[in-house]
Amino acid sequence: MDNKAQVVELVDTTVSEAVDASHGGSSPLLGTNDQLYKWIMSITFLGSALLLSSNFEYSRIGFLTFFAGHLMGLYVFRRDNAMFWHNIIFSFIDLWGIYRWWFV
């Protein structure tokens, strides 16, 4: 095998390994577990917003689901300081909403 073929094979192997690592061996849409959690968080937040904005009997469940989503965000964004603190602050806001809608 000549040098050019060896380089092409090495690059191809390296790129394949990088793609597998970036997707955690799963589908390109979901990628790693953190990607899956981000999708779940997005769906949770959309449902929560819909519940709260509907302002009907079960709207208060929206604060519980927001809180669950922000707790998940604390895990997903554990290495990103800005997003980690964003989720901490919103968790306290969610707890305030839970207190107001469920206990007062």
Side-chain angles (χ1 to χ4, degrees):
M1 188 183 290
D2 63 336
N3 287 339
K4 185 177 180 182
Q6 288 176 336
V7 169
V8 169
E9 183 180 351
L10 177 64
V11 169
D12 185 44
T13 304
T14 305
V15 169
S16 296
E17 290 172 358
V19 168
D20 288 343
S22 70
H23 293 301
S26 62
S27 73
L29 175 64
L30 297 178
T32 62
N33 283 340
D34 285 356
Q35 269 312 100
L36 176 63
Y37 290 138
K38 287 178 183 178
W39 277 107
I40 293 170
M41 285 169 47
S42 295
I43 293 167
T44 301
F45 292 145
L46 289 171
S48 301
L50 184 62
L51 279 168
L52 286 177
S53 64
S54 296
N55 197 19
F56 70 113
E57 181 182 353
Y58 299 106
S59 289
R60 64 187 185 163
I61 295 172
F63 280 109
L64 294 174
T65 55
F66 263 132
F67 185 61
H70 286 118
L71 288 179
M72 200 178 316
L74 289 173
Y75 171 75
V76 171
F77 296 114
R78 63 195 176 276
R79 294 182 195 101
D80 182 347
N81 281 337
M83 290 301 294
F84 183 80
W85 282 101
H86 165 93
N87 281 287
I88 285 177
I89 291 167
F90 271 106
S91 293
F92 281 110
I93 293 170
D94 297 336
L95 288 173
W96 177 250
I98 290 168
Y99 171 74
R100 296 284 296 151
W101 278 71
W102 288 82
F103 300 110
V104 176

